[in-house]
Amino acid sequence: MRQRNRSGQAGSTEVDLVLFGALGDLAQRKLFPALYHLEREGLLDPATRLLGLARQGHDLDGFRCRVEKSLEARVKTQELDRETLARFLARLDFLPLDFTCPEGYGAIREWRRHASRPMVVYLSVAARIYGDICRHLDTSGCLDDTSRVVVEKPIGYDLASSAGINDAIAAAFPESRVYRIDHYLGKETVQNLIALRFANPLFGTQWNQNHISHVEITVAEEVGIEGRWGYFDDAGQLRDMVQNHLLQLVCLIAMDPPANLDADAIRDEKVKVLKALKPFTDDMLGRDVVRGQYTAGSIDGKAVPGYLEEEGANTKSHTESFVAMKTGVANWRWAGVPFYLRTGKRMPEKLSQIVIHFRQQPHYIFDPDQRDLAANKLVIRLQPEEGIALEVLTKDSGLDKGMRLRRGPLHLDFNSAFPKTRIPDAYERLLLEVMKGQQYLFVRRDEVEHAWQWCDNLIAAWEEHDEPPRRYPAGSWGPVASIAMITQDGRSWYEDY
Ligand SMILES: NC(=O)C1=CN([C@@H]2O[C@H](COP(=O)(O)OP(=O)(O)OC[C@H]3O[C@@H](n4cnc5c(N)ncnc54)[C@H](OP(=O)(O)O)[C@@H]3O)[C@@H](O)[C@H]2O)C=CC1
Ligand SMILES: O=C1O[C@H](COP(=O)(O)O)[C@@H](O)[C@H](O)[C@H]1O
């Protein structure tokens, strides 16, 4: 995990960060605010420089002014102090460039002329031009053996396109210097899964099919497609959310303990999980996988349009905005343990959580009416509030209650337990790690490709059957069939929100 950069210090953040697409949505909405927060926390090396690249012809003052306005709009007023802002803006440089034209790249080389610190190239642009950019950086002599590249999701549309993009990146950067972002890996509680599982002997010994009956992962979004019809209708929820974020969560829940915290030790274990994911067969389609698409409805009392009425919609689209599935990991640790996953847009609230359902005691001695209650659950909440709760059974208090059981949480709410600790945005952590040259929170090529392979298999089966998605009203928890999918196993989605 620890690497040395050219400035000689392990984990130093002294880099030149070169941001392609610096005026785009991601850069303005997420990356500059994250970098500002790193500045404010004193985590940026004083010598670190930031170069913004974009097609539009801003001069440096115009660019700084644009970034300042974005920060004023995105950073909470109490966190935006003028001194930090001035220090941050002073780090920024700007060059206008058409990324697909090799001629302009000499200007980047010039900008770097006397710099000895590593260059981190962040590609905040569509993946279809990653190849051009990497090639032009290489042929124009901008790269050396310390240069790193950060790439955004989605990496491709399927295994074949993803392999093409990865090949183009690999022609300029070795895998050890490629940082593939999955922003879920930057979320505090997601990283906490590693601490929770591997630092607590209590869980370490129980984390297998002998003690866990099933696992649930819900990633519900209140938002719809947010004006991104062009992208989303080609992708759908499986490619947009399952191929990356949900499968990464499955990996962190299901992987075996890595030998150490080195990036490759962790990623080797994640790949084993992806390889062991159960493939879907035709007979599972109706039973174990449900695709849905939202119709008009209301959320928080506000009317919202259906998917087919969104701006720019093709009213015949069968693209799914919701997926629920029952899958599993075919190995000794997880044999017979279903993993129920569901994710959708326009659900009643934003909620991302993992629920580990432990098995019941082998011999039950309490009130037979309470038998269903008698199992522990570990609820790991990623958002909106981050926290971990272990549901335990205790005796109901009161003289008249006998040995009746009561279910209650041993609850760790990060905001109230550690009130002074600001929970950083995922991009803050990811940017910090890439500047330090640490890869453990980034996705390796084989992870991306195994995840695509598994999704491609499901998509091919869907395409063959060509069934329209089931409708669900915006503001609901998805199609009724997604509830039937889990109740057919005598279980239900965890609803104690
Ligand atoms: N926005 C988000 O929340 C998320 C984005 N991503 C990924 O991040 C990446 C960036 O997304 P996003 O910021 O939304 O995209 P945008 O389209 O908003 O930004 C991309 C920027 O790159 C510029 N650009 C494109 N082609 C060229 C070119 N040939 N020369 C110079 N500039 C060019 C665009 O300029 P112009 O406008 O002039 O074309 C635009 O400013 C994508 O890979 C996306 O999939 C991933 C997760 C979330
Ligand atoms: O990558 C993506 O993630 C967001 C959801 O991210 P979150 O951190 O808000 O949970 C999703 O809305 C978007 O469609 C997808 O591309």
Side-chain angles (χ1 to χ4, degrees):
M1 191 164 76
R2 289 163 75 80
Q3 295 178 8
R4 283 189 182 274
N5 64 24
R6 199 185 261 186
S7 63
Q9 292 169 279
S12 159
T13 61
E14 186 186 339
V15 296
D16 279 345
L17 177 64
V18 177
L19 181 51
F20 284 78
L23 295 175
D25 176 70
L26 181 74
Q28 296 291 319
R29 213 163 44 80
K30 289 284 190 185
L31 304 183
F32 284 117
L35 289 164
Y36 167 84
H37 278 294
L38 294 179
E39 176 85 59
R40 188 163 178 267
E41 304 276 335
L43 293 170
L44 290 186
D45 188 281
T48 287
R49 300 187 299 167
L50 309 174
L51 174 64
L53 300 171
R55 183 158 32 203
Q56 282 150 265
H58 271 290
D59 60 11
L60 178 57
D61 284 345
F63 177 66
R64 286 182 174 166
C65 195
R66 172 84 181 265
V67 173
E68 183 175 7
K69 287 212 163 55
S70 290
L71 293 176
E72 283 167 352
R74 308 269 171 215
V75 178
K76 289 184 188 146
T77 319
Q78 65 273 24
E79 291 171 356
L80 194 75
D81 63 90
R82 290 288 142 193
E83 206 180 301
T84 309
L85 187 59
R87 206 167 54 242
F88 179 68
L89 294 174
R91 292 180 189 272
L92 299 186
D93 232 325
F94 178 76
L95 282 175
L97 183 71
D98 180 342
F99 306 157
T100 54
C101 289
E103 292 76 34
Y105 282 71
I108 303 177
R109 200 183 50 238
E110 267 308 294
W111 182 77
R112 287 266 302 154
R113 193 145 59 104
H114 299 296
S116 57
R117 59 189 79 92
M119 174 167 71
V120 173
V121 176
Y122 198 122
L123 303 186
S124 185
V125 294
R128 66 176 176 280
I129 59 171
Y130 289 174
D132 284 344
I133 297 177
C134 291
R135 194 171 59 257
H136 300 331
L137 281 168
D138 193 18
T139 53
S140 62
C142 290
L143 303 179
D144 62 29
D145 61 4
T146 65
S147 312
R148 304 167 206 160
V149 67
V150 186
V151 291
E152 272 293 341
K153 70 151 274 245
I155 305 206
Y157 178 80
D158 54 14
L159 176 59
S161 55
S162 140
I165 294 167
N166 282 325
D167 284 346
I169 298 169
F173 295 90
E175 184 63 31
S176 60
R177 291 192 265 115
V178 180
Y179 294 71
R180 291 183 193 79
I181 296 256
D182 181 315
H183 76 275
Y184 269 53
L185 294 181
K187 290 184 193 275
E188 187 82 1
T189 322
V190 175
Q191 287 166 55
N192 238 319
L193 285 173
I194 294 181
L196 189 76
R197 286 196 53 200
F198 304 126
N200 292 286
L202 177 68
F203 295 124
T205 54
Q206 307 288 304
W207 212 263
N208 56 49
Q209 42 90 13
N210 292 324
H211 303 283
I212 292 176
S213 71
H214 62 289
V215 174
E216 249 184 81
I217 303 181
T218 294
V219 177
E221 301 184 70
E222 213 180 290
V223 295
I225 56 165
E226 305 290 281
R228 294 188 301 156
W229 176 275
Y231 155 73
F232 189 84
D233 196 58
D234 279 344
Q237 196 73 353
L238 184 77
R239 292 187 176 94
D240 188 47
M241 295 295 288
V242 178
Q243 188 273 342
N244 36 74
H245 309 320
L246 272 87
L247 289 188
Q248 283 294 325
L249 296 180
V250 170
C251 286
L252 292 173
I253 293 294
M255 72 191 212
D256 279 353
N260 52 48
L261 287 176
D262 282 358
D264 279 335
I266 294 176
R267 299 188 298 182
D268 287 347
E269 295 305 332
K270 288 199 286 170
V271 166
K272 287 185 202 161
V273 174
L274 291 166
K275 284 182 173 170
L277 279 179
K278 285 192 180 160
F280 286 99
T281 50
D282 276 4
D283 57 314
M284 291 169 155
L285 279 192
R287 198 187 59 212
D288 293 347
V289 191
V290 176
R291 302 169 71 227
Q293 190 186 75
Y294 59 86
T295 54
S298 79
I299 298 181
D300 283 340
K302 215 176 123 221
V304 294
Y307 181 75
L308 299 181
E309 292 119 41
E310 294 281 9
E311 200 187 320
N314 155 9
T315 55
K316 291 199 170 60
S317 170
H318 280 181
T319 297
E320 81 287 350
S321 59
F322 173 95
V323 197
M325 57 176 69
K326 174 182 165 184
T327 184
V329 181
N331 63 19
W332 279 52
R333 184 185 284 272
W334 296 109
V337 178
F339 279 62
Y340 300 96
L341 316 182
R342 65 173 171 171
T343 177
K345 306 219 185 283
R346 289 280 193 232
M347 299 189 68
E349 58 184 292
K350 184 175 180 74
L351 175 80
S352 302
Q353 76 182 6
I354 299 164
V355 186
I356 310 292
H357 295 259
F358 290 93
R359 288 192 191 283
Q360 297 192 331
Q361 294 283 33
H363 179 61
Y364 180 77
I365 56 173
F366 297 93
D367 185 342
D369 289 348
Q370 292 193 293
R371 200 182 177 104
D372 284 352
L373 198 75
N376 300 121
K377 295 180 187 58
L378 179 68
V379 182
I380 302 157
R381 175 75 67 91
L382 315 181
Q383 48 196 18
E385 308 85 29
E386 310 191 284
I388 296 172
L390 178 64
E391 274 194 4
V392 292
L393 296 155
T394 52
K395 190 190 109 35
D396 206 352
S397 43
L399 292 174
D400 57 339
K401 297 284 172 38
M403 274 309 274
R404 276 195 72 77
L405 299 174
R406 179 175 58 187
R407 199 173 68 169
L410 290 179
H411 191 207
L412 178 59
D413 171 344
F414 291 172
N415 287 325
S416 43
F418 312 111
K420 292 223 170 69
T421 323
R422 187 181 70 85
I423 295 188
D425 181 72
Y427 276 97
E428 289 175 46
R429 177 164 328 266
L430 295 174
L431 279 161
L432 186 62
E433 297 302 328
V434 74
M435 286 194 273
K436 289 181 180 169
Q438 294 177 346
Q439 277 190 311
Y440 74 111
L441 294 180
F442 297 86
V443 185
R444 206 170 57 190
R445 174 173 182 159
D446 50 352
E447 290 181 74
V448 176
E449 295 184 358
H450 283 296
W452 271 126
Q453 200 161 18
W454 185 79
C455 288
D456 282 359
N457 160 271
L458 176 56
I459 291 166
W462 277 346
E463 282 173 358
E464 198 175 313
H465 288 257
D466 194 26
E467 289 214 354
R470 294 165 193 270
R471 312 288 171 203
Y472 64 98
S476 71
W477 286 99
V480 179
S482 66
I483 297 167
M485 186 192 87
I486 189 166
T487 50
Q488 76 194 352
D489 294 346
R491 296 173 174 137
S492 54
W493 295 104
Y494 181 81
E495 275 179 1
D496 231 348
Y497 310 124

